[in-house]
Amino acid sequence: MSSNHTHNKKNQTLTKNQRIVLNLLQDSGEPLKAYFILDSLKKEGLSSPLQVYRALDKLVELGKIHKVESLNSFIICNNSNCASNTAFTICERCGKVKEIKNNNLTEGVNELVRENKLNITRYNLEFYVVCKSCKIN
Amino acid sequence: MSSNHTHNKKNQTLTKNQRIVLNLLQDSGEPLKAYFILDSLKKEGLSSPLQVYRALDKLVELGKIHKVESLNSFIICNNSNCASNTAFTICERCGKVKEIKNNNLTEGVNELVRENKLNITRYNLEFYVVCKSCKIN
DNA sequence: TTACGTATGTAATAGTATAACATTAGAGGT
DNA sequence: ACCTCTAATGTTATACTATTACATACGTAA
Ligand SMILES: [Zn+2]
Ligand SMILES: [Zn+2]
Ligand SMILES: [Zn+2]
Ligand SMILES: [Zn+2]
């Protein structure tokens, strides 16, 4: 098993630690916390918080994952390369998070930014909701 | 000095701890961190993190202050009772935070929410900028 | 008064994130 | 192949942020 060599073009340049963290987030689809990731990947060889945080930092920088600030959690990017601009809905009851597709949002945000004369470099929007399954119960 | 009795109508119902924390944030105008607040108010009698966090929680709940999620900091509300909906600009270089006035934003956000069929209960918007003084240097 | 909800005080502990430093791996040029 | 530079790693320790648990006091309304 040639160690740092994948056949997935998208993950090509990632290191081993970055790759296993990304895969976990990808498989999960949910926001995960750093120390949960650490625990989950002990068997893959991760042994310290820094290994996780360094991988997370890089993946955030690459736009492959995002940090959900109000949950101290990290989630796989559901668009193609937001890089810096992010928007989520977060269920207030169960914590379920969905990333809002850029395409749907871009125009609206641009208008908002223009009207308010904000000279922004990037944004992070968190919309709190009560998700369907929580609304029923 | 009758202890739990102010002449400021707005702060009337606050307890001593809540009041001194609010005053500090009011005087500062900047986002402050919980443990900084604790240190600053040791001389006023605060002696444990919990006293600070409890006051902060209550003030957030009342909409008198807000938490700036990505900075783990708290800032005085610059509007009148946002309660739940907040929007900030945050300087990426120096960390300076400004709350965006509700009035300017409400319509734009409403439109954004409507267009994206978001059924929200509240929102928190963080716009990152490079502030004037940072742009010069 | 009694009862109830809210706030306090205090100590301990849980959860999140970074500093510092020595070492290693990989990419690119010669 | 060899050198060099940059980025990533491993490891330990520590800093920073926030909550649990429990005993006590306070304010208000029946
Ligand atoms: Zn994304
Ligand atoms: Zn839910
Ligand atoms: Zn406000
Ligand atoms: Zn600045």
Short mmCIF file of all heavy atoms in Angstrom, two decimals, chain A residues 100-133:
data_model
loop_
_atom_site.label_atom_id
_atom_site.label_comp_id
_atom_site.label_asym_id
_atom_site.label_seq_id
_atom_site.Cartn_x
_atom_site.Cartn_y
_atom_site.Cartn_z
N ILE A 100 -25.86 25.70 2.62
CA ILE A 100 -26.70 26.26 1.57
C ILE A 100 -25.87 26.41 0.31
O ILE A 100 -24.75 26.90 0.36
CB ILE A 100 -27.25 27.63 1.99
CG1 ILE A 100 -28.02 27.50 3.31
CG2 ILE A 100 -28.15 28.20 0.91
CD1 ILE A 100 -28.46 28.84 3.88
N LYS A 101 -26.44 25.96 -0.80
CA LYS A 101 -25.69 26.00 -2.05
C LYS A 101 -25.35 27.43 -2.45
O LYS A 101 -26.19 28.31 -2.44
CB LYS A 101 -26.53 25.37 -3.17
CG LYS A 101 -26.67 23.87 -3.02
CD LYS A 101 -25.84 23.15 -4.07
CE LYS A 101 -26.02 21.64 -4.00
NZ LYS A 101 -24.86 20.95 -3.45
N ASN A 102 -24.11 27.63 -2.79
CA ASN A 102 -23.65 28.94 -3.22
C ASN A 102 -24.56 29.58 -4.26
O ASN A 102 -24.96 30.72 -4.13
CB ASN A 102 -22.27 28.80 -3.89
CG ASN A 102 -21.18 28.68 -2.88
OD1 ASN A 102 -21.42 28.13 -1.82
ND2 ASN A 102 -20.02 29.19 -3.19
N ASN A 103 -24.82 28.82 -5.30
CA ASN A 103 -25.55 29.35 -6.44
C ASN A 103 -26.83 30.06 -6.01
O ASN A 103 -27.17 31.11 -6.50
CB ASN A 103 -25.91 28.22 -7.41
CG ASN A 103 -24.68 27.45 -7.83
OD1 ASN A 103 -23.56 27.93 -7.63
ND2 ASN A 103 -24.87 26.29 -8.42
N ASN A 104 -27.52 29.43 -5.09
CA ASN A 104 -28.79 29.99 -4.66
C ASN A 104 -28.61 31.30 -3.91
O ASN A 104 -29.50 32.13 -3.85
CB ASN A 104 -29.51 29.00 -3.74
CG ASN A 104 -29.73 27.67 -4.41
OD1 ASN A 104 -29.70 27.58 -5.63
ND2 ASN A 104 -29.95 26.64 -3.62
N LEU A 105 -27.45 31.43 -3.31
CA LEU A 105 -27.26 32.50 -2.34
C LEU A 105 -26.53 33.69 -2.92
O LEU A 105 -26.81 34.83 -2.57
CB LEU A 105 -26.47 31.93 -1.17
CG LEU A 105 -26.74 32.54 0.19
CD1 LEU A 105 -28.20 32.37 0.54
CD2 LEU A 105 -25.86 31.86 1.21
N THR A 106 -25.61 33.41 -3.81
CA THR A 106 -24.64 34.43 -4.23
C THR A 106 -25.28 35.77 -4.57
O THR A 106 -24.88 36.82 -4.07
CB THR A 106 -23.85 33.92 -5.45
OG1 THR A 106 -23.26 32.68 -5.08
CG2 THR A 106 -22.75 34.89 -5.81
N GLU A 107 -26.30 35.71 -5.41
CA GLU A 107 -26.91 36.96 -5.87
C GLU A 107 -27.50 37.74 -4.71
O GLU A 107 -27.28 38.93 -4.56
CB GLU A 107 -27.98 36.65 -6.92
CG GLU A 107 -28.47 37.88 -7.63
CD GLU A 107 -27.33 38.81 -8.02
OE1 GLU A 107 -26.30 38.34 -8.56
OE2 GLU A 107 -27.45 40.02 -7.75
N GLY A 108 -28.20 37.03 -3.85
CA GLY A 108 -28.82 37.68 -2.70
C GLY A 108 -27.81 38.34 -1.79
O GLY A 108 -27.99 39.48 -1.35
N VAL A 109 -26.76 37.62 -1.51
CA VAL A 109 -25.73 38.18 -0.63
C VAL A 109 -25.06 39.37 -1.29
O VAL A 109 -24.84 40.40 -0.66
CB VAL A 109 -24.67 37.12 -0.27
CG1 VAL A 109 -23.55 37.75 0.52
CG2 VAL A 109 -25.30 35.99 0.52
N ASN A 110 -24.78 39.23 -2.57
CA ASN A 110 -24.15 40.34 -3.29
C ASN A 110 -24.99 41.61 -3.16
O ASN A 110 -24.46 42.70 -2.93
CB ASN A 110 -23.98 39.99 -4.77
CG ASN A 110 -22.83 39.03 -4.97
OD1 ASN A 110 -22.03 38.81 -4.07
ND2 ASN A 110 -22.76 38.44 -6.15
N GLU A 111 -26.27 41.43 -3.30
CA GLU A 111 -27.15 42.58 -3.21
C GLU A 111 -27.13 43.17 -1.80
O GLU A 111 -27.01 44.39 -1.62
CB GLU A 111 -28.57 42.14 -3.56
CG GLU A 111 -29.40 43.22 -4.21
CD GLU A 111 -30.70 42.64 -4.74
OE1 GLU A 111 -30.60 41.72 -5.59
OE2 GLU A 111 -31.77 43.05 -4.28
N LEU A 112 -27.19 42.28 -0.84
CA LEU A 112 -27.14 42.70 0.56
C LEU A 112 -25.88 43.49 0.83
O LEU A 112 -25.89 44.55 1.46
CB LEU A 112 -27.17 41.44 1.44
CG LEU A 112 -27.34 41.62 2.93
CD1 LEU A 112 -28.66 42.27 3.23
CD2 LEU A 112 -27.27 40.26 3.61
N VAL A 113 -24.78 42.96 0.33
CA VAL A 113 -23.47 43.59 0.55
C VAL A 113 -23.42 44.96 -0.14
O VAL A 113 -22.94 45.93 0.42
CB VAL A 113 -22.36 42.67 0.01
CG1 VAL A 113 -21.06 43.44 -0.15
CG2 VAL A 113 -22.17 41.48 0.95
N ARG A 114 -23.94 44.99 -1.34
CA ARG A 114 -23.92 46.25 -2.10
C ARG A 114 -24.76 47.31 -1.40
O ARG A 114 -24.30 48.43 -1.17
CB ARG A 114 -24.46 45.99 -3.52
CG ARG A 114 -23.98 46.97 -4.56
CD ARG A 114 -24.59 46.66 -5.92
NE ARG A 114 -24.60 45.24 -6.24
CZ ARG A 114 -25.70 44.53 -6.52
NH1 ARG A 114 -26.89 45.12 -6.53
NH2 ARG A 114 -25.62 43.24 -6.79
N GLU A 115 -25.96 46.93 -1.02
CA GLU A 115 -26.86 47.90 -0.40
C GLU A 115 -26.30 48.44 0.92
O GLU A 115 -26.55 49.57 1.29
CB GLU A 115 -28.22 47.24 -0.13
CG GLU A 115 -29.09 47.14 -1.37
CD GLU A 115 -30.29 46.25 -1.12
OE1 GLU A 115 -30.45 45.76 0.02
OE2 GLU A 115 -31.06 46.02 -2.07
N ASN A 116 -25.55 47.60 1.61
CA ASN A 116 -25.01 48.04 2.90
C ASN A 116 -23.58 48.53 2.79
O ASN A 116 -22.94 48.78 3.80
CB ASN A 116 -25.11 46.89 3.91
CG ASN A 116 -26.54 46.67 4.37
OD1 ASN A 116 -27.01 47.37 5.24
ND2 ASN A 116 -27.22 45.71 3.75
N LYS A 117 -23.12 48.68 1.55
CA LYS A 117 -21.79 49.23 1.31
C LYS A 117 -20.71 48.51 2.12
O LYS A 117 -19.81 49.12 2.68
CB LYS A 117 -21.75 50.73 1.62
CG LYS A 117 -22.69 51.56 0.75
CD LYS A 117 -22.42 53.05 0.98
CE LYS A 117 -23.21 53.91 0.00
NZ LYS A 117 -24.67 53.67 0.08
N LEU A 118 -20.85 47.20 2.21
CA LEU A 118 -19.84 46.41 2.92
C LEU A 118 -18.75 46.03 1.93
O LEU A 118 -19.03 45.55 0.83
CB LEU A 118 -20.48 45.14 3.48
CG LEU A 118 -21.68 45.35 4.40
CD1 LEU A 118 -22.28 44.01 4.80
CD2 LEU A 118 -21.27 46.13 5.63
N ASN A 119 -17.52 46.27 2.33
CA ASN A 119 -16.41 45.95 1.45
C ASN A 119 -15.77 44.67 1.97
O ASN A 119 -14.73 44.70 2.62
CB ASN A 119 -15.42 47.11 1.45
CG ASN A 119 -14.43 46.98 0.32
OD1 ASN A 119 -14.46 46.00 -0.43
ND2 ASN A 119 -13.55 47.95 0.21
N ILE A 120 -16.39 43.54 1.67
CA ILE A 120 -16.03 42.32 2.37
C ILE A 120 -15.02 41.47 1.61
O ILE A 120 -14.87 41.58 0.40
CB ILE A 120 -17.27 41.45 2.67
CG1 ILE A 120 -17.83 40.86 1.37
CG2 ILE A 120 -18.31 42.25 3.37
CD1 ILE A 120 -18.92 39.85 1.62
N THR A 121 -14.32 40.64 2.35
CA THR A 121 -13.40 39.69 1.76
C THR A 121 -14.02 38.29 1.74
O THR A 121 -13.68 37.46 0.92
CB THR A 121 -12.08 39.66 2.53
OG1 THR A 121 -12.35 39.31 3.90
CG2 THR A 121 -11.40 41.01 2.49
N ARG A 122 -14.87 38.04 2.72
CA ARG A 122 -15.59 36.78 2.75
C ARG A 122 -16.70 36.86 3.79
O ARG A 122 -16.78 37.84 4.53
CB ARG A 122 -14.64 35.61 3.08
CG ARG A 122 -14.06 35.70 4.46
CD ARG A 122 -13.00 34.64 4.70
NE ARG A 122 -12.43 34.77 6.03
CZ ARG A 122 -12.85 34.10 7.10
NH1 ARG A 122 -13.86 33.25 6.98
NH2 ARG A 122 -12.29 34.27 8.27
N TYR A 123 -17.53 35.83 3.85
CA TYR A 123 -18.61 35.87 4.83
C TYR A 123 -18.93 34.48 5.35
O TYR A 123 -18.58 33.47 4.73
CB TYR A 123 -19.88 36.49 4.23
CG TYR A 123 -20.43 35.79 3.02
CD1 TYR A 123 -21.14 34.59 3.15
CD2 TYR A 123 -20.25 36.31 1.75
CE1 TYR A 123 -21.66 33.95 2.03
CE2 TYR A 123 -20.76 35.67 0.62
CZ TYR A 123 -21.46 34.49 0.78
OH TYR A 123 -21.96 33.85 -0.32
N ASN A 124 -19.56 34.46 6.49
CA ASN A 124 -20.06 33.22 7.07
C ASN A 124 -21.44 33.48 7.65
O ASN A 124 -21.59 34.27 8.57
CB ASN A 124 -19.11 32.72 8.17
CG ASN A 124 -19.69 31.51 8.88
OD1 ASN A 124 -20.15 30.56 8.25
ND2 ASN A 124 -19.69 31.55 10.21
N LEU A 125 -22.44 32.82 7.08
CA LEU A 125 -23.83 33.08 7.46
C LEU A 125 -24.42 31.86 8.15
O LEU A 125 -24.39 30.76 7.59
CB LEU A 125 -24.66 33.42 6.22
CG LEU A 125 -24.04 34.40 5.22
CD1 LEU A 125 -25.02 34.66 4.07
CD2 LEU A 125 -23.65 35.71 5.89
N GLU A 126 -24.95 32.06 9.33
CA GLU A 126 -25.56 30.95 10.05
C GLU A 126 -27.04 31.26 10.29
O GLU A 126 -27.38 32.17 11.04
CB GLU A 126 -24.82 30.69 11.36
CG GLU A 126 -23.34 30.39 11.11
CD GLU A 126 -22.59 29.94 12.36
OE1 GLU A 126 -23.02 30.27 13.48
OE2 GLU A 126 -21.57 29.25 12.22
N PHE A 127 -27.88 30.47 9.64
CA PHE A 127 -29.33 30.62 9.80
C PHE A 127 -29.85 29.50 10.69
O PHE A 127 -29.68 28.32 10.38
CB PHE A 127 -30.03 30.55 8.44
CG PHE A 127 -29.67 31.68 7.52
CD1 PHE A 127 -28.67 31.54 6.57
CD2 PHE A 127 -30.33 32.90 7.60
CE1 PHE A 127 -28.33 32.59 5.73
CE2 PHE A 127 -30.00 33.96 6.76
CZ PHE A 127 -29.00 33.80 5.82
N TYR A 128 -30.49 29.87 11.78
CA TYR A 128 -31.01 28.87 12.70
C TYR A 128 -32.44 28.53 12.34
O TYR A 128 -33.25 29.41 12.02
CB TYR A 128 -30.92 29.39 14.14
CG TYR A 128 -29.49 29.50 14.57
CD1 TYR A 128 -28.74 30.63 14.25
CD2 TYR A 128 -28.87 28.46 15.23
CE1 TYR A 128 -27.40 30.71 14.62
CE2 TYR A 128 -27.54 28.54 15.60
CZ TYR A 128 -26.81 29.67 15.28
OH TYR A 128 -25.50 29.75 15.63
N VAL A 129 -32.73 27.24 12.37
CA VAL A 129 -34.05 26.75 11.97
C VAL A 129 -34.51 25.67 12.95
O VAL A 129 -33.77 25.28 13.85
CB VAL A 129 -33.99 26.12 10.55
CG1 VAL A 129 -33.51 27.14 9.53
CG2 VAL A 129 -33.10 24.90 10.54
N VAL A 130 -35.73 25.23 12.76
CA VAL A 130 -36.18 23.99 13.39
C VAL A 130 -36.45 23.02 12.25
O VAL A 130 -37.34 23.27 11.43
CB VAL A 130 -37.43 24.18 14.24
CG1 VAL A 130 -37.88 22.86 14.82
CG2 VAL A 130 -37.18 25.19 15.36
N CYS A 131 -35.66 21.98 12.16
CA CYS A 131 -35.73 21.11 11.00
C CYS A 131 -37.02 20.29 11.00
O CYS A 131 -37.71 20.22 12.01
CB CYS A 131 -34.51 20.19 10.94
SG CYS A 131 -34.60 18.78 12.04
N LYS A 132 -37.32 19.71 9.86
CA LYS A 132 -38.59 19.02 9.71
C LYS A 132 -38.85 17.99 10.80
O LYS A 132 -39.90 17.96 11.42
CB LYS A 132 -38.64 18.33 8.33
CG LYS A 132 -38.99 19.29 7.21
CD LYS A 132 -39.00 18.57 5.87
CE LYS A 132 -39.01 19.58 4.72
NZ LYS A 132 -38.71 18.96 3.42
N SER A 133 -37.87 17.13 11.01
CA SER A 133 -38.12 16.04 11.98
C SER A 133 -38.27 16.60 13.39
O SER A 133 -38.99 16.03 14.20
CB SER A 133 -37.01 15.00 11.91
OG SER A 133 -35.75 15.60 11.94
#
